[in-house]
Amino acid sequence: MKKYFITFIVIALASFVWVSCSDFPVDEDGLLITTRGQCYVSNFELLGADFQTVRTKAAVIDTTAQTINAEVFFGTDLKNLYPQFSLVTDAKLDPKIVGKVDFSDLTNPKKWTVISGNRLVKKEYTVYITVQPKP
Amino acid sequence: MQLKYYSLTLLTLLVVFFTACQDEEYSLPTLEPGLHNDVIKRTLGPNVVGLNLEFAYAMALPQAEGKIISAQVEASIAGGPATYMEYRSFRTNSSGVDVPAIIGSPSVTSGTKTEVVFSKDTCAATLRYFYIIPEEARGKTVSFTFSAKASNGQTVTYSMGPYNIAKMDMKLDLVVSDNNNSYISIADMTAYNATTAAANAAKIDLVYLYRSYTTAAFNHALVAPSANPDYKPGITLPAGVSNSAKIWKVWALRDQHLARLQYGIYIDDVDFQQIDFTGAPDYAINLRAEAGTWVETADGTYRAYIYINKIDNAKKEMTISIKRFLMK
């Protein structure tokens, strides 16, 4: 009986050690590095200071040209907007969005880089904002 | 060895069962002698001058020992003129309706004290106390001492508080109109027309306007006099009206005091103190009912939250309610 008991403990411990030592690489942000090579933006949202959308219609995302075109309502406060990107699985965005973004300089559109799940593919997207014409 | 492991397992199981199956017998509570009391505060949210603080004061003694002869509340600061204590004890019936039972004469308030004298043979009652928060209490704390007397000479007391009284002011249901009272003063918490606005030019912080366009969503707007002319089309400001307020648009912040809807959200003094107006614009267009705006006056003296109770496109007007905080 003692022999079985000890054997059971040893097997249990061995399995814990095996699981804990499995190799799951993570990047500097603590995010999992996977085998996925896809790298694109699937959706784009733009919220005002009141966390309501400021888009007049769905943003046009061109994954080949790597551009996002969004039209915002007349009177949108471009200095205080929250962009939201939806990315392909496992991808991440650089630089990170940590708060409000100033889009008021329309001649110098903002750019973000999408990095694939395997961290090997990087694509820079340019976000072009146009404001609904003055009535 | 085998026996040792079996014994150990059995013992563990026994301990678990013993703990799980312990049965506590219910016994009727014994009636404690003497007069007792208890209080609960019924109002929620910040305590704003002009509103009330409501309490329910319960008192009882065994029937054989006597009856209650009076109940009294003493506030540390005298309440507003409408402060009173109920002279009816309420019970809730099976339908959830509060049914009153008169126990004495209407309360008498003298200075800080409010008293109800019992005239019915009552050994248990719960009386509501409504303290109208007076102007003198603004920014201070207020405490309450509830007490009851029984015919056998016993008295009991119960202390409640201290409660902080908010510094902010409130103005409900101010109608602003595109054609008439469109100039809003946070300092005065009122709306002026073009003529009276000129006489109070330094105090005008916002201009209300309504514009309906098919090519853009403008609709109801609150803009500072300093705003870009694109955001105040057709507006000719009265002489001297030029302030530059900062405005944050807000959605779904339905303060209970202002909105009087079912949402249990309250804006308190601390919200005004902590909000950051850095980079805030001086206009807010396309406002909707149940939306709002945080506003800071040009000189930073006041911060306010303007809640939009109602909009009327046909009349080109909006009903707003304001909470205002003096910063300096």
Side-chain angles (χ1 to χ4, degrees):
Chain A
M1 188 64 187
K2 185 182 179 187
K3 194 171 129 193
Y4 290 131
F5 187 73
I6 291 168
T7 313
F8 172 75
I9 296 292
V10 169
I11 290 170
L13 280 173
S15 61
F16 280 128
V17 172
W18 185 76
V19 170
S20 63
C21 295
S22 293
D23 191 18
F24 288 112
V26 289
D27 65 9
E28 67 279 5
D29 295 323
L31 299 171
L32 209 61
I33 298 173
T34 65
T35 55
R36 288 176 194 273
Q38 294 103 316
C39 186
Y40 61 87
V41 175
S42 56
N43 193 35
F44 180 75
E45 178 60 282
L46 209 49
L47 304 178
D50 57 354
F51 303 107
Q52 299 295 293
T53 189
V54 294
R55 289 180 296 100
T56 57
K57 55 195 172 194
V60 178
I61 303 164
D62 188 332
T63 53
T64 311
Q66 293 163 215
T67 59
I68 297 169
N69 283 281
E71 187 191 63
V72 299
F73 289 114
F74 169 75
T76 298
D77 174 25
L78 297 175
K79 288 185 176 177
N80 296 290
L81 293 177
Y82 295 97
Q84 289 181 340
F85 290 81
S86 297
L87 307 176
V88 65
T89 310
D90 297 343
K92 70 172 189 174
L93 200 66
D94 182 55
K96 296 181 191 73
I97 297 166
V98 292
K100 289 174 187 165
V101 176
D102 184 353
F103 283 92
S104 60
D105 187 359
L106 296 176
T107 52
N108 291 304
K110 293 276 174 192
K111 295 172 191 251
W112 278 272
T113 301
V114 182
I115 304 168
S116 66
N118 61 12
R119 305 292 183 262
L120 299 175
V121 186
K122 294 184 179 182
K123 289 189 176 177
E124 188 180 63
Y125 275 72
T126 308
V127 179
Y128 295 98
I129 305 287
T130 51
V131 182
Q132 197 178 34
K134 188 176 145 185
Chain B
M1 198 54 160
Q2 198 172 357
L3 187 68
K4 185 179 164 190
Y5 284 111
Y6 278 133
S7 307
L8 200 64
T9 311
L10 199 64
L11 192 66
T12 312
L13 284 172
L14 270 175
V15 168
V16 172
F17 281 119
F18 177 75
T19 312
C21 297
Q22 213 166 21
D23 192 17
E24 283 181 21
E25 287 279 326
Y26 174 76
S27 61
L28 279 172
T30 49
L31 182 63
E32 284 185 35
L35 180 62
H36 295 273
N37 63 355
D38 200 356
V39 185
I40 57 166
K41 180 173 174 280
R42 286 172 55 86
T43 41
L44 300 172
N47 309 310
V48 183
V49 172
L51 300 182
N52 66 43
L53 275 172
E54 183 188 346
F55 298 88
Y57 180 41
M59 63 219 90
L61 79 167
Q63 200 172 6
E65 292 185 22
K67 59 184 182 180
I68 303 165
I69 55 168
S70 71
Q72 179 185 283
V73 188
E74 183 169 7
S76 57
I77 300 171
T83 296
Y84 73 103
M85 196 176 200
E86 270 288 0
Y87 62 103
R88 298 170 299 174
S89 181
F90 288 86
R91 66 176 175 85
T92 308
N93 69 10
S94 56
S95 307
V97 178
D98 285 348
V99 182
I102 294 173
I103 49 82
S105 46
S107 67
V108 175
T109 300
S110 172
T112 57
K113 292 179 185 170
T114 302
E115 188 179 32
V116 169
V117 177
F118 284 54
S119 57
K120 299 286 167 69
D121 188 357
T122 310
C123 65
T126 300
L127 304 181
R128 306 274 167 86
Y129 171 62
F130 297 87
Y131 175 80
I132 309 299
I133 303 168
E135 183 60 43
E136 303 83 74
R138 187 186 299 279
K140 297 176 186 166
T141 58
V142 60
S143 305
F144 301 91
T145 306
F146 292 80
S147 57
K149 274 183 204 164
S151 58
N152 62 3
Q154 285 188 331
T155 58
V156 279
T157 59
Y158 202 107
S159 295
M160 292 292 277
Y163 300 104
N164 292 321
I165 305 301
K167 287 183 181 173
M168 62 188 162
D169 292 296
M170 210 164 70
K171 172 88 175 180
L172 298 178
D173 302 327
L174 183 67
V175 177
V176 291
S177 161
D178 187 70
N179 311 314
N180 191 12
N181 293 328
S182 53
Y183 298 94
I184 302 166
S185 166
I186 299 295
D188 293 348
M189 287 208 287
T190 191
Y192 294 105
N193 60 27
T195 311
T196 49
N200 296 280
K203 293 191 279 185
I204 302 301
D205 301 295
L206 299 168
V207 182
Y208 164 74
L209 67 157
Y210 173 80
R211 299 288 182 273
S212 176
Y213 300 116
T214 51
T215 54
F218 196 101
N219 301 320
H220 301 266
L222 287 173
V223 302
S226 64
N228 185 313
D230 287 353
Y231 304 130
K232 43 183 171 81
I235 297 280
T236 305
L237 294 172
V241 173
S242 61
N243 280 340
S244 174
K246 291 178 178 168
I247 306 168
W248 283 128
K249 236 172 125 173
V250 187
W251 173 244
L253 177 49
R254 291 165 283 218
D255 177 88
Q256 178 78 51
H257 288 144
L258 302 179
R260 288 150 281 166
L261 296 173
Q262 69 272 33
Y263 310 102
I265 302 169
Y266 294 92
I267 292 171
D268 207 343
D269 288 355
V270 68
D271 298 305
F272 292 105
Q273 288 164 324
Q274 290 184 354
I275 191 164
D276 183 4
F277 279 92
T278 310
D282 57 1
Y283 64 95
I285 69 170
N286 195 21
L287 295 167
R288 290 172 282 170
E290 297 191 20
T293 54
W294 289 105
V295 180
E296 185 182 65
T297 57
D299 58 2
T301 304
Y302 291 104
R303 286 183 175 177
Y305 180 71
I306 299 178
Y307 175 78
I308 300 160
N309 299 86
K310 200 168 70 177
I311 56 171
D312 189 327
N313 295 356
K315 289 184 182 171
K316 299 184 178 180
E317 67 179 33
M318 200 158 80
T319 304
I320 58 173
S321 294
I322 306 172
K323 267 188 177 179
R324 180 192 71 170
F325 185 79
L326 179 65
M327 293 295 291
K328 296 177 182 173

